[in-house]
Amino acid sequence: MESHLAKVFNGIVGGISLEVASVTIFVALLCFCILIGHLIGENRWTNESTVTLLLGLCAGFLTLVVTKWRNSRLLSFDEELFFIYLIPPIIFNAGFQVEKKQFFQNFSVIFLFGAAGTVISFCFISGGVYLLFKLMGVTSFGIRQFLAIGAIFSATDSVCTLQVLNQDETPLLYSLVFGEGVVNDATSIVLFNSVQKLDLESFGALSALQLLWTFLYLFITSTALGVATGLFSAFIMKKLYFGRFTWMPYPHDVYLNAFFPVFNFWGKNSLNLHSATREIAIMSLMAYFSYMLAQMCSLSGILAIFFCGVVMSHYTWHNVTEGSRTTTRHAFATASFVAETFIFLYVGMDALDIDKWKQSNGSVHTTLVVSGALLVLIMVGRAAFVFPLANFANCFRSRAKISFSQQFIIWWAGIIRGAVTIALSYEQFSAARQSSSDGAFLITNSIIVVLFTTMVFGSVTSPLIRANLFSNSSNVPASEMDPSSLEEAQVSFLENIGDDEDGSISMGFILMHPMSAIRYLWRRFDHRFMRPLFGGYGSTQ
Amino acid sequence: MESHLAKVFNGIVGGISLEVASVTIFVALLCFCILIGHLIGENRWTNESTVTLLLGLCAGFLTLVVTKWRNSRLLSFDEELFFIYLIPPIIFNAGFQVEKKQFFQNFSVIFLFGAAGTVISFCFISGGVYLLFKLMGVTSFGIRQFLAIGAIFSATDSVCTLQVLNQDETPLLYSLVFGEGVVNDATSIVLFNSVQKLDLESFGALSALQLLWTFLYLFITSTALGVATGLFSAFIMKKLYFGRFTWMPYPHDVYLNAFFPVFNFWGKNSLNLHSATREIAIMSLMAYFSYMLAQMCSLSGILAIFFCGVVMSHYTWHNVTEGSRTTTRHAFATASFVAETFIFLYVGMDALDIDKWKQSNGSVHTTLVVSGALLVLIMVGRAAFVFPLANFANCFRSRAKISFSQQFIIWWAGIIRGAVTIALSYEQFSAARQSSSDGAFLITNSIIVVLFTTMVFGSVTSPLIRANLFSNSSNVPASEMDPSSLEEAQVSFLENIGDDEDGSISMGFILMHPMSAIRYLWRRFDHRFMRPLFGGYGSTQ
């Protein structure tokens, strides 16, 4: 600790600390990226992720030159930073701002893609890499390594996908691709974790069942944890209502206006600011707590914080003061945006880490062949589940079938691999577990795949969607494109008759429209029991 | 790095990582502190800092018991965390929300207290400790150590002071005590830094001049850096105006309402959210950049980020969208509040660090005597400059003289010592520089002083101010208490006549009312040149 101290105080008191200099340059780069991203915002062939990645590459190259080819990364961050600090705000914001109706309407399809789809992709990639390496004569990898490679390259990148897709323009695609990404995270963790623990001697049907059980357990407990934390925060906000003191029978604005009649534009409304500060702090800290608690219990933090965000936007958000509402919406979006920019910048710089490239002794030719093969396997593995599963799901959807062009975009956008892939491949192939030139070779390959997919697929997806949108919008009117309009009408009709007949709906309706019936029952439950307890839109304070 | 990785992935994939567990518990403690702080908010004899400190002590004790008396701190943080991550949001928010008029009106007094006052206090404490240790027979300290002790215990705690004083209730006291704290930081750094570099052989009048020059250089460059960064951010906001695209001649709301006529309460106003996100990100990152750049250049980051906050609230804040304005006000206050809570919780836990107490082999009696003596020296050293300097300043103030009861509160509130004192005493007396039992003894003493002053002086200041407020408000009407009302009238009168006579004011007026003239000239300069370039209240976009 003393060495750290000395380092910091060098920066504060005496000379220039390397740590302080690195953070300063990194913050300056972040500002620069945001400005450039804003300036190229009009351009349809590039996006902010790609620009940030390229800037990261340039900065890494400059650092390499300045440090005389010793170091490219500026910050001696470890992957810890990524999982503990950068992922939570991104996923929480996604849950907080997600179009809840769309998400839950498509939940069955999302679950199918995220769970079954990831397993199919995992099998394809593992098998393909096994065959490829057998052909190439690489012998240092065992079954466990091949399975791990499958899990690593099955993890899609929710972050870049979020930047590429637009929730307002293509709500169905957004909820499908993003929702799949969230479930995919849980599946990847289970797969990767199971591969590490796998008893290769007695692998059979029982192991597969165990895997399924682990996945379901993980999914349900993580979700429950997130929902519970969100509900707890809503309960606290409702009971302690920070904007109102217990000895005040009227809303506090009445007192404020009586005691301090003049408020200027800057707002000397310190009581409001005081309570808003506490509300926002509690919301952020509770959300983060759900993520960390899930990680601590070896559950999926991503799932937990996602559902915590969903519950907070449904209940907690309605219990806080007006200022807190505006602030949470904007501040969470900003935190998420900065974290995304940070990740892309860092991945760009990390790609030029000279040690990794030195340790990997594959020739340029071999590297390109293996990266290309991995990319093809990812594409084939994704095609192998997107098209069959989408058509399977279409059989059960009376309206809003997933058209072929939409299936194509789902396939295309999900090929992007990101920071999770890099972090997992480090975990598997870095010095701690298996320090060989083959391991380093695989790490460099995963970097190439991530850079290539982010830049190429990330850039081309937006124009692709726009082309698809325009060709579609000329044929189908907006009201028909909205899958919810008809069902909505049914549910609102049900709600009207349901209240008259003491809330009972006929068995026939439940059998005919199971999803509508579930949604109707949930709404009634929400209205009668949840909102009085946890607050929410339209509830009485 | 691999060990870090393994640690994290233990948390994510396999067992429970200690790091993840610590962060989780710490976040839970933070939530708990905020809730408890809210519940005791009505109580006049305690405040949030004290409660948080006590909770930190309890948590530290529990951790000690659980880890079997090995560790009390939960997090293996170093003081780096404090200077790089926790101080910037607190000081930036203070600058951002400070009552600018009060601050600049009292600037001469603030500067007098912060610079001359700190030097007087430094001399008193250094001399007192020298005599004390000579009496006690401690011989292991040299002149350099005594001077360092003087600098360490002259550093006031701006954080707790901010919590204790209220900007709306006592604007004059708030601006004096807080402003002094900001200038005090620069002075302490110069003193501490100079003590380290001091050439003890040839110490004379030249050295004192050099010290003065260093201080002025540090003060001016740090301020200039902060102001420049703030102005740059305002310029960017005005030129790039994130809420408006270049190809849009009308404000973008016109387009939004034309294309997406239905906005629900949750606000699908994604274009607004998009631009607000970038605005808030740029403002936060630029402010942080000014702090880090100042630290990197061995200037005072606290001064830089404070003035950056002042400039941002004067110019930048007026150039952003409505949503960004609400958000920045609330989000910066929240960040500051969480950082404050974090610091008090951490100092509480840190106080029970068993290693420090074991290393210090002073008896309970000696420890209490020395702590008490230090406390008395701090109080005397502060009294030695507050009362004389306040009376000196009163000679030049025609109105709004600092009354004796106000002087008493300024003296009392500024006795609080905080995390800066602990961090600096670590720096001076930890293993890196001087690992002796006497050094450890001094560290434990500084912890006792910090805990005692924060709890006792922090708690008693609020009731003291309230008692003083009530006794004053019965005598003096509010309009007379406001020191600015008369001068304001003069300036606004001047502005009216000034505009007619092509802006020239008579030499006589400048000599009679130099401060009013400076303010008037600044306002005209601001209005004519600054606002058209950097935006601000009432400027045309």
Side-chain angles (χ1 to χ4, degrees), chain B residues 398-469:
Chain B
S398 49
R399 287 169 312 283
K401 287 185 191 291
I402 306 163
S403 70
F404 179 75
S405 60
Q406 282 173 327
Q407 292 172 22
F408 184 79
I409 291 176
I410 292 171
W411 170 71
W412 182 268
I415 291 170
I416 301 171
R417 293 294 174 272
V420 176
T421 300
I422 290 187
L424 287 177
S425 62
Y426 259 99
E427 160 69 357
Q428 180 66 28
F429 298 108
S430 66
R433 294 205 180 196
Q434 181 184 20
S435 176
S436 68
S437 61
D438 287 336
F441 177 68
L442 239 127
I443 290 177
T444 56
N445 273 305
S446 68
I447 292 171
I448 291 174
V449 168
V450 167
L451 285 181
F452 185 81
T453 53
T454 306
M455 294 215 210
V456 174
F457 290 79
S459 300
V460 183
T461 310
S462 286
L464 205 71
I465 290 169
R466 226 161 287 171
N468 181 46
L469 256 186

Side-chain angles (χ1 to χ4, degrees), chain A residues 11 13-14 42 48 247 278 298, chain B residues 14 42 48 193 247 278 298:
Chain A
V13 181
E42 311 297 305
E48 285 175 330
W247 44 270
R278 272 123 192 101
S298 309
Chain B
E42 310 299 305
E48 285 174 331
N193 196 7
W247 44 270
R278 272 122 193 101
S298 308

Side-chain angles (χ1 to χ4, degrees), chain A residues 1-2 4-17 19-21 23-24 27-28 30-31 34-35 38-39 42 48 73 77-80 83-85 96-99 166-168 189 192-193 196-197 236 240-242 244-247 265-270 272-274 276-278 280-282 285-286 288-289 292-293 295-299 313 317-318 323-324 326-327 329-331 333-334 337-338 423-424 426-427 430-432 537, chain B residues 1-2 4-17 19-21 23-24 27-28 30-31 34-35 38-39 42 48 73 77-80 83-85 96-99 166-168 189 192-193 196-197 236 240-242 244-247 265-270 272-274 276-278 280-282 285-286 288-289 292-293 295-296 298-299 313 317-318 323-324 326-327 329-331 333-334 337-338 423-424 426-427 430-432 537:
Chain A
M1 204 194 68
E2 276 69 28
H4 270 292
L5 253 177
K7 209 168 61 186
V8 177
F9 275 96
N10 276 340
I12 292 160
V13 181
I16 297 171
S17 140
E19 171 101 16
V20 172
V23 174
T24 312
V27 170
L30 271 178
C31 284
I34 294 172
L35 287 178
H38 173 69
L39 288 175
E42 311 297 305
E48 285 175 330
R73 294 205 286 173
F77 285 145
D78 32 54
E79 268 63 18
E80 179 181 0
F83 283 107
I84 297 192
Y85 303 111
F96 196 72
Q97 320 250 7
V98 79
E99 180 85 65
N166 187 312
Q167 179 162 316
D168 297 342
I189 289 176
F192 193 79
N193 197 7
Q196 306 304 330
K197 289 186 192 157
I236 286 175
L240 297 185
Y241 189 35
F242 284 77
R244 177 189 60 196
F245 291 118
T246 43
W247 44 270
F265 73 92
W266 179 247
K268 292 291 165 299
N269 199 334
S270 66
N272 249 338
L273 190 61
H274 179 91
T277 305
R278 272 123 192 101
I280 300 162
I282 287 279
L285 287 174
M286 285 248 177
Y288 190 59
F289 177 69
M292 292 307 288
L293 191 63
Q295 296 290 63
M296 201 177 98
C297 304
S298 309
L299 303 174
S313 78
W317 193 75
H318 296 279
S324 301
T326 314
T327 306
R329 252 186 73 210
H330 289 84
T334 306
F337 170 67
V338 172
L424 287 177
Y426 259 99
E427 159 69 358
S430 68
Y537 181 60
Chain B
M1 204 194 67
E2 276 69 28
H4 269 292
L5 253 178
K7 209 167 62 184
V8 176
F9 276 96
N10 277 340
I12 291 160
V13 182
I16 297 171
S17 139
E19 171 102 16
V20 172
V23 174
T24 312
V27 170
L30 272 179
C31 283
I34 295 172
L35 286 179
H38 174 69
L39 287 176
E42 310 299 305
E48 285 174 331
R73 293 206 287 173
F77 284 146
D78 32 54
E79 268 65 16
E80 179 180 0
F83 283 107
I84 298 192
Y85 302 112
F96 196 73
Q97 321 251 5
V98 80
E99 181 85 62
N166 187 313
Q167 179 163 314
D168 297 342
I189 289 176
F192 193 79
N193 196 7
Q196 306 305 326
K197 288 185 193 157
I236 287 177
L240 296 185
Y241 190 33
F242 284 77
R244 179 188 60 195
F245 291 118
T246 42
W247 44 270
F265 73 91
W266 179 246
K268 292 291 163 301
N269 199 335
S270 65
N272 249 337
L273 189 61
H274 179 91
T277 305
R278 272 122 193 101
I280 301 162
I282 287 281
L285 287 174
M286 284 250 177
Y288 190 60
F289 178 70
M292 292 306 288
L293 190 64
Q295 296 290 63
M296 201 177 98
S298 308
L299 304 173
S313 79
W317 194 74
H318 296 279
S324 301
T326 314
T327 305
R329 253 187 71 210
H330 289 83
T334 307
F337 170 67
V338 172
L424 287 177
Y426 259 99
E427 160 69 357
S430 66
Y537 182 60

Side-chain angles (χ1 to χ4, degrees), chain A residues 256-441:
Chain A
L256 278 174
N257 289 321
F259 291 134
F260 311 100
V262 183
F263 292 122
N264 69 3
F265 73 92
W266 179 247
K268 292 291 165 299
N269 199 334
S270 66
L271 198 53
N272 249 338
L273 190 61
H274 179 91
S275 50
T277 305
R278 272 123 192 101
E279 286 169 352
I280 300 162
I282 287 279
M283 277 176 83
S284 329
L285 287 174
M286 285 248 177
Y288 190 59
F289 177 69
S290 75
Y291 180 86
M292 292 307 288
L293 191 63
Q295 296 290 63
M296 201 177 98
C297 304
S298 309
L299 303 174
S300 163
I302 292 190
L303 265 176
I305 202 169
F306 176 79
F307 281 103
C308 184
V310 170
V311 170
M312 277 193 176
S313 78
H314 191 65
Y315 296 111
T316 321
W317 193 75
H318 296 279
N319 297 346
V320 299
T321 55
E322 188 57 40
S324 301
R325 288 186 206 177
T326 314
T327 306
T328 45
R329 252 186 73 210
H330 289 84
F332 294 157
T334 306
S336 164
F337 170 67
V338 172
E340 282 169 22
T341 312
F342 196 111
I343 288 178
F344 287 110
L345 194 55
Y346 184 65
V347 167
M349 295 177 94
D350 195 55
L352 287 178
D353 187 9
I354 206 84
D355 291 336
K356 272 178 237 154
W357 294 94
K358 270 186 194 153
Q359 221 190 334
S360 152
N361 51 12
S363 68
V364 177
H365 180 249
T366 330
T367 310
L368 285 180
V369 166
V370 171
S371 305
L374 276 170
L375 188 64
V376 170
L377 281 172
I378 289 170
M379 291 170 83
V380 172
R382 191 163 174 84
F385 79 83
V386 166
F387 297 106
L389 289 181
N391 286 310
F392 173 74
N394 274 344
C395 302
F396 297 91
R397 290 166 81 93
S398 49
R399 286 169 313 282
K401 287 183 192 291
I402 306 162
S403 70
F404 179 74
S405 60
Q406 283 173 325
Q407 292 172 22
F408 184 79
I409 291 176
I410 292 172
W411 170 72
W412 182 267
I415 291 171
I416 302 169
R417 294 293 175 272
V420 176
T421 300
I422 289 186
L424 287 177
S425 62
Y426 259 99
E427 159 69 358
Q428 179 67 29
F429 297 109
S430 68
R433 295 204 180 196
Q434 181 184 21
S435 177
S436 69
S437 62
D438 287 336
F441 177 67

